[in-house]
């Protein structure tokens, strides 16, 4: 089931989650090795702070636990030098981002543009990382997590905007008011149950490679389920611009990616054990 043209006099849009919806793996986890190699994350800190915390909290993802995770991520990157992060990402961005995007997702983006819709990426990852990815994909706008940077060019540890759960839905509604989008005629795509409120904000929600909880919600609500399974090199589908990112928000993305990968692995282990 693909997008169709809109008869509405108001413009419509298509909102895409990033990880596991457009990109076949976490867009941030791969950076953790580069951050560790660059001296930003010690192996001990990774094991003690990120891995232990996320494994401990893998049993559920309510808002209290997400607040604890947000605090942990803030503490992990506090004091990191922005230029160091920028240099690391500039050296590795193409190697990390280029390899795997879903061919089906790129086709959908192209179809939505052909139908006259704006395409917006809505991601919990850092804005300054998501924005160049969005540019590569031809997205019209990006909603993502934003961190505060001190006048000295270091991460303060404060998060200006955390693009997660209801915050994503609110950002979608705010953007719709600002740009005049008809949300009833708009589309949204995600793989995660944490994005249910974002999916509910539009008239055409789609579950993409959904986790168990989102699959259940999609079945209850009658939402279409899409299976994306053809990852291709991004450069084979779109022209990649030179990578010169200024990633003021990437620290939170790197920390989030570490936890996200452990979260996924622990959930798989838990499900296998339950089976």
């Amino acid at each position: 089931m693909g997008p169709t043209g809109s008869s509405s006099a108001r413009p419509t849009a298509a909102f895409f989650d990033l990880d596991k919806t457009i990109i076949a793996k976490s867009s941030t986890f791969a950076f953790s090795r580069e951050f560790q190699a660059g001296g930003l994350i010690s192996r001990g800190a990774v094991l003690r702070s990120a891995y232990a915390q996320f494994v401990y909290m893998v049993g559920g993802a309510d808002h209290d636990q997400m607040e604890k995770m947000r605090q942990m991520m803030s503490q992990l990157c506090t004091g990191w030098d922005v230029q160091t992060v920028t240099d690391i990402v500039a050296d590795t961005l193409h190697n990390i981002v280029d390899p795997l995007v879903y061919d089906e997702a790129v086709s959908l983006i192209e179809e939505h543009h052909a139908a006259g819709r704006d395409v917006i990426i809505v991601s919990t990852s850092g804005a300054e990382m998501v924005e160049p990815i969005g540019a590569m994909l031809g997205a019209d706008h990006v909603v993502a997590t934003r961190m505060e940077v001190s006048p000295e060019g270091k991460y303060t540890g404060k998060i200006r905007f955390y693009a997660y759960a209801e915050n994503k839905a609110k950002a979608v509604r705010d953007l719709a008011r600002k740009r005049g989008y008809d949300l009833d005629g708009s589309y949204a795509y995600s793989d995660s149950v944490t994005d249910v409120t974002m999916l509910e904000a539009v008239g055409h929600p789609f579950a993409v490679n959904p986790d168990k909880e989102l699959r259940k919600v999609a079945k209850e609500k009658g939402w279409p389920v899409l299976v994306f399974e053809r990852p291709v090199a991004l450069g084979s589908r779109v022209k990649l611009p030179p990578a010169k990112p200024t990633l003021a928000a990437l620290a939170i993305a790197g920390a989030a990616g570490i936890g996200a990968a452990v979260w996924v692995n622990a959930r798989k282990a838990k499900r296998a054990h339950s089976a």
Side-chain angles (χ1 to χ4, degrees), residues 42-54 72:
S42 70
R43 184 173 182 274
V46 169
L47 294 174
R48 291 192 302 271
S49 299
Y51 280 46
Q53 287 291 335
F54 278 91
M72 185 274 291

Side-chain angles (χ1 to χ4, degrees), residues 22-64:
I22 294 177
I23 296 179
K25 63 178 182 179
S26 168
S27 62
T28 58
F29 175 63
F31 282 103
S32 64
R33 290 186 179 181
E34 280 69 23
F35 286 164
Q36 183 177 344
L40 296 177
I41 304 177
S42 70
R43 184 173 182 274
V46 169
L47 294 174
R48 291 192 302 271
S49 299
Y51 280 46
Q53 287 291 335
F54 278 91
V55 170
Y56 173 77
M57 291 185 285
V58 74
D62 60 32
H63 287 287
D64 288 342

